[in-house]
Structure formats: C-alpha cells, structure tokens
Amino acid sequence: MLKPLPDYPWDQMVPFATRARQHPDGIVDLSIGSPVDATPDVVQHALRTSADAHAYPQTVGTPALQQAIIAWYARRRGVTGLTGKNVLPTIGSKELVALMPFMLGLGEGDTIVHPLAAYPTYAIGAAIAGATALASDDPAEWPGSTKLIWLNSPGNPDGRVLSAPALHAAVARARELDAVIVNDECYAELGWDAPYDTEPIPSILDPRVIEGDQRKVVAIYSLSKQSSMAGYRAAFAAGDSDVIERVLTVRKHAGLMLPAPLQAAMIAALGDDEHVAAQKERYRTRRALLRPALEQAGFRIDHSEAGLYLWATEGCPAWQSIERMAALGILAGPGPFYGDVYPEHVRFSLTATDERIAAAAARLRA
C-alpha cells in the first residue's frame, strides 16, 4: 500500500508571500530556484528548427543526443569511457529522483539514504516506492538494508561540495552494501569558492572516484540551471549500463520519452560552452551583491561554495527569519523544508533579476 504523502510544504509560504507583496517596491522572491534569464538563442533556434516532429521520439534518445551527452561529460566533467548504453535523457531530473526507487524495484524493507540537508523529492521517492528514507551524510551510518544512496553535490539547499575523496568513500561504502549510488550533480557548473572557482567540481563518475568501475554508480544532470532551460525539462543520467538499462526499460513501458524538439535543443545546449560561462557570470554578480548584504544584516552563510543558493542563519528559528524577511518584502525558503536538522537556516536563491537582487541588498543594508 502506498504510504501517505506529506502535504506540499510550499503552501505554508502563502501568508509570507502576501506580506512581502505589500512592500511599496514590490516583492523580491528569492524562495524558488527557477531561472529568470532568457533561454540562450542557440537553444531556441534548435527548438524552432526541429518543430516538425511527426514521429514518436526515442526513449533512449537520438544517437546525436547520446553523443552530445558523452562528449559533454568528457569535456566538462573529466569523465571518459561512456557509450550510448551509459546515458539516458529524462524529462527533467525531478521525475527521475522521484521515480528511481520504483524503477529499481525497491519497496518495503529497503532503505534509501539521502543527505541531511536535502531536496524533499529524495524522501518522496522513497515514500512512492514504499521504502524507508534515511537522512545521513555519514557512510558509516548507512545500514545493511540500504539499496539506494542519493548524494547531492553541489547540494541543494546548502551548496556543499563533496571532494573526490569524499565521493570515493561513499562509493566504497555503497559497494560494501551492494547498493546503487546516485549523485545529483545539476549545479556542477556553478562553483564559487576555492578551489571550485577555478577547477571543475568532481563528478561521481570521475576516474579518481570510481577507479574505472562504474558498477551501480550513476550521475544525473539537468540543463535547467546552467542553460536557463527549466521550462524545457531537459536532463539526463549517466553511469552503470545495467542500471541505465533497467530505468530505460521501465520508461519504455511507461511512455516516458523526451519530445524530439527538446532533444534537439539539448544537443545545442550541450555543444555550446559560451552561454554557460555567460550565465555563470550573471549569477556570480548577483551572489557578490547579495552575500555581503545578508552578512551585514546579521546572517551567517554556511557552505554555499557552489550552486544557486545562499544557506544562511541568524541564530533564531527559521520561521522568525522568514517573517522578518517578508516584512522587508523579501521571500526566502525555510530550512525546515530541507530536513529536520536545520531549524534555524533559510535559503536565498540567486535566481532573480539584477534589479530585484539589488533591491533585496538595499533593503537588507537599510
């Protein structure tokens, strides 16, 4: 029997959003990480020119898309040795996170591990499958019943990056448990603090991590953040061919396939690094303005060395901070939405326009 799912947490934000909208200069919504910048022209052009999509698309992706994913991993992530059997496009990454436990046949008696500070969908996926979710960042705590381990580096909401040795230790423990381990890497192009301001953030498929053995190791990635393609629902998985084949088979039966024009748009995005660099600079500028304003207003920023968020606390209950921010016309995300162990943190997103970020910074300083 399906376990009861929790209420959608963001419904609790309605009164705070109402309060924030009453500010004379309007609301600054920093609560949701939804891109506000235009999708790059190269991507829009590819979508338009592929609009004649009369045939059913391939669930596995076109050969051209497979090769684009493989080339991107080699060029941007330092991951080589992938073939068409190791990659799979998906309809955004959230549906893959939510459905992966079900697709792998997990259920009652199985444990699914996810980070302490975590995107809620990891636990929702466990509930959908009837499995047990466990929040833990310590591989030594992962029990023998563990069948799936979710890592999230760089993390949402905390922007934490796992080093190659830390990823290696997690993979080693997963192999002791004979569990599948998946790293959600969708913020990997957005490193800010040293050393990740100049060197790539490590992938779980990095040779230093897996030492040539992809067995039960998978990475997932989304183009929503790096390419402002959230509305396209363009993502993909890569890694162990057996795990990819299992997920592919379920998706074939369920008709879960990425529309052909969107596959063409993904190829264009994956082949163009220039727009990614430009988008990163937009976020860098916003972060450089918002972070010191938050610190001046009494917040401490924890982790946040990568990604689209500032993970902040002023040492009081998160809902008190949310209320204080709403009075300034600023909407943030409550830390309790991302795990019970962070009752005093709030998440500020960089996905607002330059003008709105500047408005937030000015209000915080005042």
Side-chain angles (χ1 to χ4, degrees):
M1 179 180 294
L2 181 67
K3 294 182 179 180
L5 299 179
D7 294 334
Y8 190 61
W10 287 96
D11 292 342
Q12 300 175 56
M13 293 300 295
V14 172
F16 299 102
T18 300
R19 174 74 184 278
R21 290 190 184 96
Q22 294 171 358
H23 191 278
D25 187 39
I27 188 173
V28 180
D29 191 348
L30 306 181
S31 63
I32 304 293
S34 183
V36 298
D37 301 303
T39 303
D41 289 341
V42 65
V43 176
Q44 294 190 46
H45 176 75
L47 183 72
R48 288 192 296 268
T49 56
S50 303
D52 181 13
H54 48 273
Y56 286 112
Q58 296 174 302
T59 305
V60 72
T62 64
L65 177 54
Q66 292 177 348
Q67 289 305 311
I69 295 171
I70 292 167
W72 180 84
Y73 265 107
R75 187 177 74 253
R76 302 299 301 177
R77 309 292 283 126
V79 175
T80 58
L82 298 177
T83 71
K85 293 183 178 180
N86 300 115
V87 298
L88 178 66
T90 63
I91 310 166
S93 58
K94 183 172 184 176
E95 60 97 348
L96 187 62
V97 171
L99 296 179
M100 178 74 86
F102 167 77
M103 291 179 176
L104 295 180
L106 305 185
E108 187 174 355
D110 297 329
T111 298
I112 297 173
V113 173
H114 62 74
L116 285 173
Y119 183 51
T121 308
Y122 303 124
I124 293 296
I128 289 173
T132 299
L134 171 66
S136 172
D137 293 330
D138 183 359
E141 296 177 348
W142 302 346
S145 59
T146 301
K147 295 296 186 293
L148 174 62
I149 300 156
W150 284 107
L151 304 179
N152 181 203
S153 174
N156 173 14
D158 60 359
R160 183 177 65 136
V161 175
L162 298 178
S163 66
L167 290 170
H168 183 276
V171 169
R173 177 56 176 157
R175 288 180 171 155
E176 290 176 357
L177 297 165
D178 195 29
V180 174
I181 185 167
V182 185
N183 190 21
D184 183 348
E185 303 179 352
C186 67
Y187 301 96
E189 290 277 14
L190 301 174
W192 310 119
D193 296 340
Y196 304 116
D197 53 342
T198 57
E199 65 182 56
I201 291 169
S203 169
I204 199 171
L205 297 176
D206 189 296
R208 296 170 295 175
V209 176
I210 61 172
E211 299 177 333
D213 183 3
Q214 296 176 0
R215 179 174 49 90
K216 293 197 172 184
V217 180
V218 175
I220 65 173
Y221 196 79
S222 166
L223 300 181
S224 296
K225 284 73 180 177
Q226 71 160 49
S227 301
S228 295
M229 292 176 65
Y232 284 60
R233 312 311 302 133
F236 47 89
D240 179 14
S241 59
D242 289 340
V243 176
I244 295 296
E245 177 64 26
R246 166 76 186 196
V247 173
L248 172 61
T249 299
V250 175
R251 296 175 69 83
K252 284 179 177 179
H253 284 296
L256 295 175
M257 58 189 78
L258 194 69
L262 301 188
Q263 294 193 37
M266 287 181 68
I267 293 169
L270 289 165
D272 181 70
D273 295 338
E274 184 175 343
H275 80 269
V276 180
Q279 186 60 48
K280 182 175 181 178
E281 288 309 305
R282 293 186 190 101
Y283 287 133
R284 188 193 303 277
T285 299
R286 293 164 187 168
R287 184 178 185 271
L289 188 61
L290 184 60
R291 177 168 186 159
L294 285 168
E295 291 172 333
Q296 184 176 331
F299 285 92
R300 183 187 76 234
I301 308 300
D302 291 337
H303 293 300
S304 307
E305 56 262 33
L308 282 181
Y309 312 106
L310 293 170
W311 188 231
T313 178
E314 52 180 340
C316 65
W319 290 107
Q320 185 174 324
S321 296
I322 292 295
E323 185 173 12
R324 177 189 172 208
M325 290 298 99
L328 296 176
I330 299 170
L331 199 65
F337 284 5
Y338 303 95
D340 296 335
V341 297
Y342 294 100
E344 296 184 347
H345 279 74
V346 294
R347 190 192 77 170
F348 293 89
S349 173
L350 303 177
T351 55
T353 64
D354 294 346
E355 184 275 331
R356 289 288 83 186
I357 292 287
R363 296 175 195 181
L364 288 163
R365 291 194 188 96

